[in-house]
Amino acid sequence: MFRSAGVRFAVVYALLLAASAAALALFLWWSTAGLLDRQTETAIRADAQGLSERWEEGGLPALVLTIDERLSGNVDDDAVYLLTNARMQRVAGNLAGWPSIVREPDTWYELPVQRAGILSLALVWRYDLPGGYHLLIGRDVQVRAQLRRLLTDALLWALVIVAAMAVAGALIVRSLLRRTLANVSTTANAIAAGDFAQRVKLSGRGDEFDQLAEVINDMLDRIGRLMDGVKQVSNAIAHDLRTPITRARARLEEASLRASSPEALRAAIDRATADLDGIVAVFQALMRISEIEAGSRRSAFATLDLAPPLADLAELYGAVAEEKGVTLSADIPERLPAHGDRELIQQAVANLLDNAVKFSPPGGTVRLQARPAAAGVEVLVADQGAGIPPEDLKRATERFFRGESARSTPGAGLGLALVQAVAQLHGGTLRLEDAAPGLAATLSLPAPEEPAHG
Amino acid sequence: MRILVVEDDKDVAGFVVRGLREAGHVVEHADNGRDGLFMAASESFDAVILDRMLPGGIDGLKILETLRGQKNSVPVLILSALAEVDERVKGLKAGGDDYLTKPFAFAELLARVEALARRGKTEGPVTKLVVEDLELDLLSRQVKRAGQKIDLQPREFRLLEYLMRHAGQVVTRTMLLEGVWDYHFDPQTNVIDVHVSRLRQKVDKPFPVPLIQTVRNAGYMLRAERA
């Protein structure tokens, strides 16, 4: 039962309500009944002060006179006095006899008294005077006692009402919480049951629950994309790797059946080994893309100057281009601050350059252009090759997609998919455009957001 | 050289052990983590080839950490099917000197293991590398062959330096890519071949004896070709 957060919240609510009601009642008590008590006590003390002064001035006669005066001048008719001699016999005052329970001096007593034939309640204080006289000063508190009883009753009732309200409120809190969470758990259940298209509904109020729902939906979207990626990879393994595996297998079987000499057999095995190496390379490229897409590499992000690594790449591929009779013209600024994973950015640009050099006609030019952009860094790689037909541009970054013109060149169709994955990991984009002639690929890497949320 | 192979897969272990013996090395083999750790800790080897996932409760990383904990600095090449970048980092952090992922070509493994085993033997910092009549001065950054000065680009200089440091050993393309360019990815096109052939133009072409040899199915080696 207490495992339920709804019940827990409800109990907390009820306890809070009870605690605040109790605090309120205590304060109310203190400021009404308590105040009256304190006022009465103050009045009695003041009275005592006056009477003791009279005693000192005029002794017993003055005291008796003063008590009589005070009794006759008491408009509210609430004063209680009793002066007795050493044998506890009444000398003055409006009480018939000394109440037996008042034994100790300097103590408050609240006791029933008989005054002018009426039974009433009084608060009294005993003073022992020199000469064996005893003085009792008090106030009738019958009215105050009634008020206190009234107040006690009211507070007791209030307690019952508060308890009822606490229970009702707790139930409401619990059902509110349940209803809000039901939205999330229905969605989660639907997804668990296989309907991945479900999303948590937003109330549109933009409150904390909406924010939570948005976070959950974002997470679901991301999981969905990852699952698509996994599906794509397994499809790719199922279909696209079949071709090279078939080739390797055929070579081995052919060699086993028909090789006429040990040399021919060895050559066939070497070729099959090379085929297998190619398959492994494709495998590794696929794994690398998945690794990047999973986002685990974000831990390697750092602020870096992209100029030196890009210059390195220009030098690395410049030689390759030259070998093919292609010119690689690099335009890289002195400094190019960026934020990301150096190795991944390098690999992405390497893939773009590799493609560009591969698809360039002899005598053509490959441009590598890097510049700081409004929102980060832009790296452009453009060639003057056949380019990608507009209808294929969208699909060019899919795994294993190879355009018509690319069929005759070696490659597995994973290069641009990796660039795309790197761009996405950095929160950037890969833009492919027709450079007329050729292909212009722009890798945009945004500057990191200011860490606003600590 | 004395090499310990810790690998549980019978076929892979047999292939590696035979290959290393054929290359002239003395090879010991352990097929589980416990024996592997015992042998590596109690005997002296020039290099250890270590699989990561091993039966017997002790995996490769644990062996490595134990060895390093005992101040044993034997060069260790980790051979593993765990190919993710993070795994590689983990292996090197645990004290591995090199990391090769399965599947692998034997030539690559041999070249790396020999490079590792020899690396531990070089004494002190060198300021000058000399192979036959080729001299490379690391301080003045000058290269001379047969007394004749050769002008090299910075990258060509580093490429030649790497080859000369491993003179007489096979150096694979990936070793060059990692050692000279610090790239840990496959740049698809054989960019290394282009750069080596440019270096050849400057270092070998004008001279009667070529020094940079191509080793078929493996990579390159710097040494005078002897008949």
Side-chain angles (χ1 to χ4, degrees), chain A residues 353-407:
Chain A
L353 284 173
D354 192 74
N355 275 346
V357 171
K358 205 154 62 182
F359 293 114
S360 272
T365 302
V366 169
R367 276 189 299 140
L368 167 65
Q369 215 173 66
R371 58 193 171 89
V377 170
E378 271 190 9
V379 182
L380 165 86
V381 176
D383 61 58
Q384 296 173 328
I388 300 177
E391 66 269 22
D392 285 349
L393 272 178
K394 262 208 151 67
R395 297 188 53 208
T397 55
E398 282 176 20
R399 291 180 180 82
F400 294 106
F401 179 81
R402 308 205 64 204
E404 280 304 320
S405 58
R407 290 276 150 84

Side-chain angles (χ1 to χ4, degrees), chain A residues 340-358:
Chain A
D341 183 323
R342 178 186 63 86
E343 196 170 315
L344 288 182
I345 298 173
Q346 248 176 343
Q347 186 172 6
V349 178
N351 281 5
L352 293 177
L353 284 173
D354 192 74
N355 275 346
V357 171
K358 205 154 62 182

Side-chain angles (χ1 to χ4, degrees), chain A residues 297 312 315-316 322 354, chain B residues 85 155 183 188-189 195 198:
Chain A
R297 292 277 290 162
D312 274 2
E315 183 233 45
L316 187 70
E322 205 174 298
D354 192 74
Chain B
V85 179
R155 187 71 63 180
Y183 286 1
Q188 302 180 43
T189 314
H195 283 266
R198 288 185 141 201

Side-chain angles (χ1 to χ4, degrees), chain A residues 178-197:
Chain A
R178 280 207 177 151
R179 207 176 314 149
T180 332
L181 288 182
N183 184 13
V184 177
S185 67
T186 323
T187 311
N189 278 332
I191 288 170
D195 181 4
F196 202 81

Side-chain angles (χ1 to χ4, degrees), chain A residues 316-351:
Chain A
L316 187 70
Y317 281 95
V320 182
E322 205 174 298
E323 203 87 339
K324 261 197 77 178
V326 174
T327 315
L328 192 145
S329 88
D331 177 10
I332 302 163
E334 284 275 296
R335 274 182 46 75
L336 194 58
H339 183 81
D341 183 323
R342 178 186 63 86
E343 196 170 315
L344 288 182
I345 298 173
Q346 248 176 343
Q347 186 172 6
V349 178
N351 281 5

Side-chain angles (χ1 to χ4, degrees), chain A residues 12 28 69 130 164 188 195 393 420 446:
Chain A
V12 168
L28 212 64
E69 268 171 22
D195 181 4
L393 272 178
Q420 170 86 356

